[in-house]
Amino acid sequence: MTDRRDEGLLRAAFIVSTCGDWVFRFALPLLVLQLTGSAFLAAFTYALEFVPYVLVGLFSGVVADRADRRRLMTGCDLCSAVVVGGIGLLCLLDSPPVSVVYVAAFVLACMRPLYFPAFQGFLMERVPQERRAVMNAWVQGSESLLNMLGPIAGISVVAFLGPAAASGVNAVSFALSALLVFLTAASPATAARTPLREAVRGMGPDLLTGFRLLFAEPVLRQGTILLTLTNFAVHAVEANLVYVVTDATGQSSFVLGLVVAAQGAGAVAGAAFVPRLLKRFSEGRLLSAGMGALAVALLAPAVTADVRLLAPAWAVAGAATSLIVVGWFTYRQRVIDAEFMGRVVAVNRAVSFAAILPAALLGGWVAAEFAPAALFATAGVVQALAWIATAAGLVGRAGRTSAPVIMKAG
């Protein structure tokens, strides 16, 4: 009964915290735009979100494994609430320093790389093995739905209330998320956890353990490389989707909204069916199917980026992403011990997120110098290669055909 109660509290905390993320993603860029009048500086504020995943994300997993995950997640939400509340007060000043806004944005962005590995490890502690695929699918579906509705809700809240009041609402949302996590039952295993002050010391050996566990298991090693290729292909297009739809092809912003909504709807639908599919097929089969469907979705708009083809293609891309993400998370939970999950997740995300910036820059150059068709074709070919390697290699055969080997340090 306690497990199901904790699962419900974790679901509620995830929804509330993620909604809070979407509000500050738009409140801070709007504040910077009001202060400087520079669209570039406003965009830079938005881009700060991804920097900590590489700079901080590697070490955050070690902290998540050493410290009490329940307290760490609560602390991240409370810290976010304090920082966002401070931003709200800054907004009341006539001309708050832009440098302070950037520092606040960076501190907020550092919370998610800390929170996510702790959440994944905490999930393994509180959710039984037989329900993890369902929970993974729910997290992926909820995140996809919020990715679809979040920009609309975030912009609406900021536009209706203004940056100051929106920051106040945002602070309350993070505080509520902290309360929901705090209400979960204390685990007996937390007594052996290291205090947070000590958890940040001497992280080198534990960080190396995360790399070793991720790359020692053949499926995880190959899968990490292939998923980094997939990240490159997807973000080369996604980072330049605004340019492709509204500038290069002359379609309206409403069309852009339809395309994004189609992707979110596809991801939600895909996540809804994954638990049933995992009862019949292995994780490797789902990964292969998702990789192949994503390659088709990226290649199709090379024919035309018209919304009549682009929107369905992006719906398929969303569904394929759900197959890949849930299949990967479920397999990783089967072979990595919960004690080491935080650092493995953090290393995994840091490696794959490192592909985002070069993908965005290269994708922008290809789209501008050649044509949108060249961008989709390039991304589709890269993804097709990742699919072939998945289907022909160990990743495509991973799953329920044999008993999992739980990876531990030493």
Side-chain angles (χ1 to χ4, degrees), residues 255-267:
V255 168
L256 178 63
L258 286 178
V259 173
V260 175
Q263 182 184 25

Side-chain angles (χ1 to χ4, degrees), residues 308-354:
R308 288 171 292 183
L309 180 59
L310 184 57
W314 236 231
V316 172
T321 300
S322 290
L323 292 180
I324 295 168
V325 169
V326 179
W328 180 251
F329 281 15
T330 303
Y331 180 80
R332 190 172 60 192
Q333 290 166 352
R334 280 163 49 80
V335 299
I336 297 294
D337 187 82
E339 180 182 354
F340 306 100
M341 180 56 71
R343 72 199 78 174
V344 171
V345 169
V347 170
N348 198 169
R349 286 170 72 86
V351 170
S352 60
F353 272 51

Side-chain angles (χ1 to χ4, degrees), residues 55-295:
L55 298 182
V56 180
L58 287 173
F59 302 98
S60 65
V62 178
V63 176
D65 284 342
R66 288 180 172 185
D68 181 343
R69 289 161 176 156
R70 177 168 166 263
R71 291 182 180 177
L72 180 59
M73 292 164 64
T74 303
C76 285
D77 278 332
L78 289 177
C79 182
S80 296
V82 171
V83 174
V84 172
I87 292 171
L89 295 177
L90 277 177
C91 294
L92 299 177
L93 300 177
D94 290 334
S95 55
V98 178
S99 59
V100 176
V101 177
Y102 276 128
V103 171
F106 185 79
V107 172
L108 276 173
C110 289
M111 292 301 104
R112 182 53 61 177
L114 278 168
Y115 189 95
F116 188 80
F119 179 84
Q120 287 291 311
F122 198 59
L123 184 153
M124 290 187 69
E125 289 179 5
R126 302 306 171 92
V127 179
Q129 173 75 47
E130 64 271 13
R131 286 194 54 78
R132 287 177 190 165
V134 175
M135 185 65 172
N136 291 335
W138 182 89
V139 169
Q140 173 63 15
S142 300
E143 191 168 27
S144 299
L145 182 62
L146 291 172
N147 287 344
M148 178 175 61
L149 301 178
I152 300 172
I155 291 174
S156 300
V157 170
V158 175
F160 182 72
L161 299 177
S167 296
V169 172
N170 202 5
V172 172
S173 73
F174 282 121
L176 177 58
S177 176
L179 176 62
L180 290 168
V181 174
F182 180 76
L183 289 175
T184 59
S187 171
T190 59
R193 294 286 182 184
T194 305
L196 185 58
R197 183 179 299 177
E198 298 179 17
V200 298
R201 298 175 181 171
M203 292 188 288
D206 280 354
L207 180 59
L208 291 177
T209 297
F211 274 100
R212 185 166 64 250
L213 288 174
L214 182 64
F215 289 99
E217 207 273 341
V219 173
L220 292 182
R221 179 174 64 248
Q222 292 184 19
T224 298
I225 296 170
L226 294 174
L227 289 175
T228 301
L229 281 177
T230 293
N231 231 18
F232 184 93
V234 170
H235 284 280
V237 175
E238 282 194 355
N240 296 283
L241 200 59
V242 173
Y243 166 76
V244 168
V245 173
T246 63
D247 193 327
T249 60
Q251 300 176 89
S252 67
S253 56
F254 176 73
V255 168
L256 178 63
L258 286 178
V259 173
V260 175
Q263 182 184 25
V268 172
F273 281 100
V274 168
R276 300 177 189 176
L277 294 174
L278 279 173
K279 292 179 179 179
R280 298 185 58 186
F281 305 103
S282 67
E283 292 94 333
R285 292 284 295 277
L286 260 66
L287 284 163
S288 295
M291 290 286 211
L294 186 56

